[in-house]
Amino acid sequence: MTARVPPVAADRLPALLAAMPKAELHMHIEGSLEPEMAFALAARHGIALPYADSAALRRAYAFGDLQSFLDLYYQGAAVLRTEQDFYELARAYLARAATENVVHAEIFFDPQTHTARGVPMATVIRGLARAGDEARRERGISSALILCFLRHLSEREAFETLEQALPFRDAFIGVGLDSSERGHPPEKFARVFARCRELDLHIVAHAGEEGPPAYIWAALDVLKAERIDHGVQAVHDAALMQRLARERVPLTVCPLSNQKLQVFPDLARHSLPQLLAGGLCATVNSDDPAYFGGYVNANFQALFAATGLDAQAAWQLAANSFEASFVDASAKQRWLDRLNESFERAHDASA
Ligand SMILES: Nc1ncnc2[nH]cnc12
Ligand SMILES: [Zn+2]
């Protein structure tokens, strides 16, 4: 869907990016663990962190690639132990998202990171789900959970994780695939995703973050992914770009993540403008906001400042986020109406 948006003065664009309603479809709840909360939870559980304080931990967030980030991310997640911890983590994210005019969030969680440490699946899911229910009631933000399998582990372990999660089938809407991409192609998980489809779970997968376009093809053809997480390497394959555009397969793009993990030499060279120009359903998301220097609005602001994208692109990205979400058509239309109202207001303020 496209629409001509009313003209908005360039100096109004940052305020518009912040104020416009949007959906966030690619964020890992463990990646919203701020250093201050990591220290608070470590103190709660008598865990010693190998950093003097939260500022020292934050200084360690300098990454050369995806793996160097994942090593710290899994280490950080070790402070999450109780249902209350997971609840507080998700509550903090949803409170922040609501202030950034996120109307709907589809939230990844990595249960294997926790079950491997002896934390029961029930503890993880109940804590996260409680925060989602509360935020819907108290802040009017809707959310849903997507369970991710860690691709550096085996398919057998993914099956075991699925089994453990099935008693909570109503608490999550889909499954995804994340962690170390190179050397772990989607084909490795063909059978477990086939089983997930039989269970009517939505299917998404990280592909083409660092890995080649072939991983995006395999995510579509083998896993039957409905959305591709990242997908920024698609620009290297013209046939793939045409398919993604024709089929309106959404890409959940994370600009600050790509910058921090050195997927692009700098944001000005990010492929998102090319994806939009190619007619793809690209969206903007934060991935792991505590690690990558910003929540969703910071991603919009940095991307637009670096690339010169305009108000028309802002509208398209927000509309795409609604189109790409796993909600019913009436909610999408309601949010689209609100989006159009926010553009009318920005236009009036420009005059
Ligand atoms: N950007 C990312 N890529 C793959 N796995 C992740 N897990 C958390 N963030 C991730
Ligand atoms: Zn991700």
Side-chain angles (χ1 to χ4, degrees), residues 19 40 62 65 96 129 131 166 184 190 219 264 275 296 348:
D65 59 9
R96 174 65 184 257
L166 283 184
H184 301 283
F264 295 96
L275 299 171
V296 68
D348 292 347

Side-chain angles (χ1 to χ4, degrees), residues 1-2 60 76 81 97 137 161 188 193 228 236 263 266 271 338:
M1 175 184 331
T2 52
R81 300 238 163 135
R137 277 196 317 274
T161 299
K188 182 177 161 187
F193 275 81
I228 299 294
H236 302 298
V263 171
D266 68 75
S271 63
R338 284 174 59 183

Side-chain angles (χ1 to χ4, degrees), residues 87-277:
Y87 160 75
E88 289 178 18
L89 180 69
R91 182 182 62 180
Y93 164 69
L94 287 162
R96 174 65 184 257
T99 68
E100 299 202 357
N101 295 304
V102 172
V103 294
H104 176 71
E106 294 178 6
I107 298 175
F108 294 145
F109 68 111
D110 284 342
Q112 288 161 295
T113 311
H114 313 299
T115 54
R117 299 181 287 111
V119 178
M121 183 69 79
T123 298
V124 179
I125 293 184
R126 287 197 183 119
L128 298 177
R130 179 151 62 93
D133 292 343
E134 183 186 274
R136 185 187 307 260
R137 277 196 317 274
E138 296 185 359
R139 302 184 189 277
I141 177 172
S142 67
S143 64
L145 294 172
I146 295 178
L147 182 159
C148 285
F149 300 117
L150 299 182
R151 69 200 305 158
H152 67 274
L153 300 179
S154 68
E155 187 179 49
R156 183 183 52 75
E157 288 164 296
F159 266 114
E160 287 166 10
T161 299
L162 180 61
E163 278 307 309
Q164 291 165 14
L166 283 184
F168 310 96
R169 170 68 187 82
D170 292 347
F172 58 102
I173 60 164
V175 292
L177 185 65
D178 65 1
S179 193
S180 321
E181 186 180 14
R182 287 200 192 107
H184 301 283
E187 289 90 333
K188 182 177 161 187
F189 296 91
R191 284 163 298 245
V192 74
F193 275 81
R195 176 73 190 123
C196 290
R197 294 198 302 277
E198 285 172 4
L199 293 165
D200 279 333
L201 286 157
H202 285 293
I203 306 292
V204 300
H206 283 54
E209 177 183 13
E210 286 186 339
Y215 285 19
I216 303 177
W217 286 104
L220 297 173
D221 291 334
V222 180
L223 305 185
K224 317 278 185 211
E226 299 163 73
R227 286 196 308 242
I228 299 294
D229 297 313
H230 293 293
V232 290
Q233 303 299 341
V235 290
H236 302 298
D237 183 331
L240 178 58
M241 288 283 281
Q242 281 165 16
R243 176 176 178 184
L244 293 168
R246 192 175 59 246
E247 297 181 8
R248 291 293 290 166
V249 178
L251 302 190
T252 61
V253 178
C254 307
L256 288 175
S257 165
N258 295 153
Q259 180 184 42
K260 275 276 188 180
L261 303 186
Q262 309 200 19
V263 171
F264 295 96
D266 68 75
L267 264 188
R269 311 248 305 265
H270 197 283
S271 63
L272 194 137
Q274 243 177 299
L275 299 171
L276 279 185

Side-chain angles (χ1 to χ4, degrees), residues 46-62:
I47 300 168
L49 294 178
Y51 301 91
D53 53 27
S54 55
L57 177 52
R58 197 168 264 116
R59 279 196 297 277
Y61 294 172

Side-chain angles (χ1 to χ4, degrees), residues 26 28 66 69-70 73-74 110 178-180 206 209 230 257 261 287-288 292:
H26 182 166
H28 303 260
L66 174 57
F69 153 70
L70 290 170
Y73 165 85
Y74 294 129
D110 284 342
D178 65 1
S179 193
S180 321
H206 283 54
E209 177 183 13
H230 293 293
S257 165
L261 303 186
D287 207 4
D288 300 285
F292 298 148

